[in-house]
Amino acid sequence: MSRRPPSITDATAVALAQACQVELSAEAIDRARGYLTDLVGLLETLHEVDIDEMPAYSVAEAIAGLHAPAGAAPADAAAPPMPDPPHAPDSPWFAWTAWETAAALRRGDVSAVMLAQAALTRIAAVDENVHAWLRVDAGAALATARDLDAARARGEPLGPLAGVPTGLKDNLLTVGLETTAGSRILQGWIPTEDGAHAARLRGAGAVILGKLALDEFGMGSSNENTPFEPVRNPWAPDFVPGGSSGGSAAAVAARTICFSLGSDSGGSIRQPASLCGLVGLKPTYGRVSRHGLIPVVPGLDHVGPLTRDVRDAALVLGCLAGHDPRDLNSIRAPVPDYLGAVARGRAEGIAGTRIGVHHEALAVPGLDPAVLTCFMAALAQLQAAGAQLVEVSLPHFRRAVPTYYALASAQAAHHLARVALPTGARGQAFGEEVRRRLLLGTLVLRGDGEYLERATRVQGLIVRDHAAALERCDVLASPTTRLPGFRLGERVQDPVAMYLSDIFVIGANLAGLPAMSVPAGFAPASAERPTLPVGLHLVARALGEATLLRVAAAHEARTRWHLAVAPGAAGSCDHVGADDRPLGM
Ligand code: GLN
């Protein structure tokens, strides 16, 4: 007997809206009926999967298998020394990476106050065209910088990020600094303590300048789900920077800071990293604490860095990673020498490493030819660095998007139901996408279509697929996105198209595996679009961040894509060396 999906009428939309206390106008009811019909169509594809033998996936069980035995220490062989930064002494500070900036401070070439002031000046000059910064706290940043300079003058040891200016996605708690998650609901909320991320960065000496824009509550792939100005891509002002960590990506691509933090529940670090020509790393679930992250989808939430190169990703990850008793799902395992892995990848390459290409990736409908060309070139570089390519399969690859959206919308509806608001206020206070998730999540939680039960089992299949593929290879490779980017406004009315932006990146969230996007070339300018960056997506086994970084470093050492400067960062960037232009441009 063929299955009848739940039918969505005006009455269904109204009933769902009442259940989650969202007030909808007549016009909004009409729209809701339309998009709920499309989204139910997406979730219905979960019924094509045979789940009979598959138990529901359990995060707690997955984490339990990753704790190291008590007393275990990292068994890293000595890594080759990392050469000191080769930056020209007259290049401006914003051409430096985090590593180079910290080294310059340690040498005494610059002071922390000079760096903070320069970054603040640059934000003032550049950000009015980018809108990456929601909030800048110059006073607090300069006070931190003064303290650092004083500590240095006293000869005290400096942390690995000493003096490096940075910013955090605005869903990461910062003491004394408003934290809104990009929502009107939280406007005016000033946390009384730092989350784990701000605390660890400060402990490493970084200078937090402020907070970066995101899609409301981290729900989105374009940064357009915002009551504030949408962020613009520094590569092309009419194009989105990606989401939801779009502000974190654009702030780095516009060179207002050399690294930032983002969060990634369904691709939100890696997709914007790809669209903005950056390195974005999502660690293993539980490797970096979630304490102080306003949750998106708690079982899938990760925090990680967006940087300009792979070494900086290793540097920042090393500062963030490690057990935190305040996060119940935090893994107790030693933190390996990530910088050593980068040094090895650069110096020794990746001989013997097996790179798995799943054929489902290449069969994705609408894969842009320019993206495919960059991907093939990246594979050739990995081979030239010593890797062996193997073909693998992720049979449930296409199910990741509906699985994620069933889980994500159910959890959004569950969590946001606890936000007490005066009757009717939800309708106005939440943006359109959050309302959409509330409606869809309420439908999923009510049991219409049995999507939640199915999604947790299909997640189990996706975990199993990744485990099987990663037995045959060390790292999985694919493009990060189907297209190099899309225009502002292009997908706001089409949630299914928007959700499919994350097709390559969501699987690693569902499987809890470490993944990163690295610059892999440029889609050339055409009648439809200007030159836009393209990303290579890599996924490793649980706690395999060092493997991931080594492979990424070997690729980066053979290419110069990461040195390209976005036009939106130019102007005040004129005296950056000619070497900073992308190859072939
Ligand atoms: N685009 C996904 C969503 O809208 C991912 C969000 C995220 O990773 N925070 O839910």
Side-chain angles (χ1 to χ4, degrees):
M1 209 179 77
S2 75
R3 203 195 122 70
R4 296 234 334 256
S7 72
I8 305 293
T9 60
D10 281 4
T12 326
V14 170
L16 291 171
Q18 271 167 357
C20 60
Q21 297 166 37
V22 165
E23 268 183 18
L24 296 180
S25 64
E27 189 246 340
I29 292 170
D30 193 47
R31 267 208 318 278
R33 183 176 36 73
Y35 63 65
L36 284 171
T37 305
D38 293 348
L39 292 172
V40 161
L42 179 70
L43 300 194
E44 267 304 297
T45 59
L46 293 173
H47 280 275
E48 295 162 9
V49 186
D50 178 5
I51 55 164
D52 282 354
E53 284 163 39
M54 200 62 215
Y57 175 73
S58 150
V59 174
E61 271 173 39
I63 295 296
L66 295 176
H67 294 307
D76 289 317
M82 188 85 74
D84 226 27
H87 73 260
D90 61 344
S91 69
W93 70 272
F94 49 79
W96 305 346
T97 63
W99 168 280
E100 291 165 349
T101 307
L105 183 93
R106 270 195 296 274
R107 281 196 304 268
D109 297 353
V110 280
S111 71
V113 168
M114 279 163 65
L115 287 167
Q117 257 159 354
L120 292 166
T121 307
R122 192 158 160 82
I123 292 171
V126 173
D127 197 55
E128 61 181 356
N129 300 321
V130 180
H131 306 298
W133 292 86
L134 285 182
R135 201 162 311 110
V136 171
D137 188 346
L142 289 169
T144 309
R146 272 194 294 274
D147 289 349
L148 270 166
D149 286 336
R152 185 174 179 280
R154 290 193 299 269
E156 289 173 20
L158 297 174
L161 292 171
V164 182
T166 188
L168 273 61
K169 185 173 180 178
D170 200 29
N171 59 358
L172 298 168
L173 271 58
T174 41
V175 62
L177 185 56
E178 190 185 9
T179 300
T180 66
S183 182
R184 285 210 187 287
I185 301 251
L186 290 181
Q187 262 184 316
W189 180 51
I190 300 180
T192 50
E193 64 167 27
D194 271 336
H197 324 94
R200 287 195 183 216
L201 288 189
R202 289 189 217 276
V207 176
I208 297 173
L209 300 183
K211 305 302 283 291
L212 297 162
L214 67 160
D215 285 296
E216 186 173 5
F217 285 113
M219 297 176 195
S221 310
S222 69
N223 247 265
E224 292 161 294
N225 301 331
T226 174
F228 313 113
E229 280 284 337
V231 180
R232 291 172 180 272
N233 189 325
W235 284 94
D238 295 338
F239 280 67
V240 304
S244 60
S245 312
S248 300
V252 178
R255 298 196 163 198
T256 55
I257 42 175
C258 46
F259 85 95
S260 65
L261 295 190
S263 70
D264 188 319
S265 317
S268 282
I269 290 175
R270 293 158 289 148
Q271 187 254 20
S274 176
L275 269 47
C276 291
L278 301 174
V279 173
L281 190 153
K282 174 198 94 62
T284 308
Y285 182 75
R287 174 83 281 189
V288 169
S289 174
R290 290 169 306 135
H291 174 76
L293 164 68
I294 296 172
V296 185
V297 196
L300 305 177
D301 291 346
H302 305 70
V303 176
L306 289 113
T307 60
R308 290 219 313 269
D309 72 4
V310 175
R311 180 172 55 185
D312 272 7
L315 176 66
V316 179
L317 180 64
C319 297
L320 294 175
H323 181 246
D324 181 353
R326 295 165 303 178
D327 174 356
L328 280 179
N329 289 336
S330 174
I331 299 170
R332 285 186 305 276
V335 176
D337 175 11
Y338 297 131
L339 284 166
V342 173
R344 272 196 207 93
R346 285 181 173 191
E348 297 161 18
I350 45 172
T353 303
R354 293 161 308 163
I355 306 287
V357 180
H358 57 102
H359 51 81
E360 293 84 359
L362 303 181
V364 160
L367 182 61
D368 190 282
V371 171
L372 186 59
T373 305
C374 290
F375 178 57
M376 291 305 181
L379 291 181
Q381 292 295 356
L382 292 172
Q383 263 183 311
Q388 183 196 338
L389 300 186
V390 291
E391 188 178 327
V392 295
S393 171
L394 294 177
H396 299 92
F397 172 70
R398 279 194 306 129
R399 313 302 179 187
V401 170
T403 300
Y404 170 82
Y405 280 97
L407 298 173
S409 56
Q411 295 205 27
H414 178 74
H415 292 294
L416 294 179
R418 289 185 291 181
V419 179
L421 289 173
T423 315
R426 282 163 184 275
Q428 294 114 45
F430 289 129
E432 171 101 26
E433 180 62 25
V434 176
R435 293 202 298 270
R436 181 151 43 225
R437 304 269 173 123
L438 287 172
L439 296 180
L440 184 66
T442 304
L443 176 135
V444 169
L445 288 173
R446 269 188 353 186
D448 303 35
E450 300 157 35
Y451 303 126
L452 192 53
E453 167 70 15
R454 285 204 153 250
T456 58
R457 294 201 204 197
V458 178
Q459 184 182 6
L461 290 169
I462 289 168
V463 169
R464 204 167 71 178
D465 288 353
H466 279 82
L470 285 163
E471 263 176 30
R472 301 197 49 227
C473 64
D474 303 298
V475 167
L476 290 163
S478 74
T480 308
T481 58
R482 251 172 356 122
L483 304 175
F486 51 96
R487 279 180 194 278
L488 280 156
E490 193 177 311
R491 294 193 188 165
V492 275
Q493 302 304 339
D494 186 350
V496 173
M498 187 70 94
Y499 295 178
L500 288 173
S501 313
D502 303 323
I503 190 158
F504 287 113
V505 285
I506 275 185
N509 294 80
L510 295 168
L513 299 175
M516 67 195 290
S517 181
V518 296
F522 288 84
S526 68
E528 288 88 51
R529 62 189 184 214
T531 303
L532 290 172
V534 171
L536 165 70
H537 190 238
L538 302 167
V539 182
R541 295 184 198 112
L543 296 180
E545 284 83 356
T547 309
L548 206 57
L549 287 160
R550 179 172 178 161
V551 170
H555 173 263
E556 188 181 80
R558 307 188 63 86
T559 59
R560 289 164 60 216
W561 307 122
H562 66 291
L563 298 174
V565 183
S572 33
C573 221
D574 294 342
H575 46 312
V576 177
D579 275 359
D580 286 356
R581 257 177 276 123
L583 294 180
M585 286 181 73

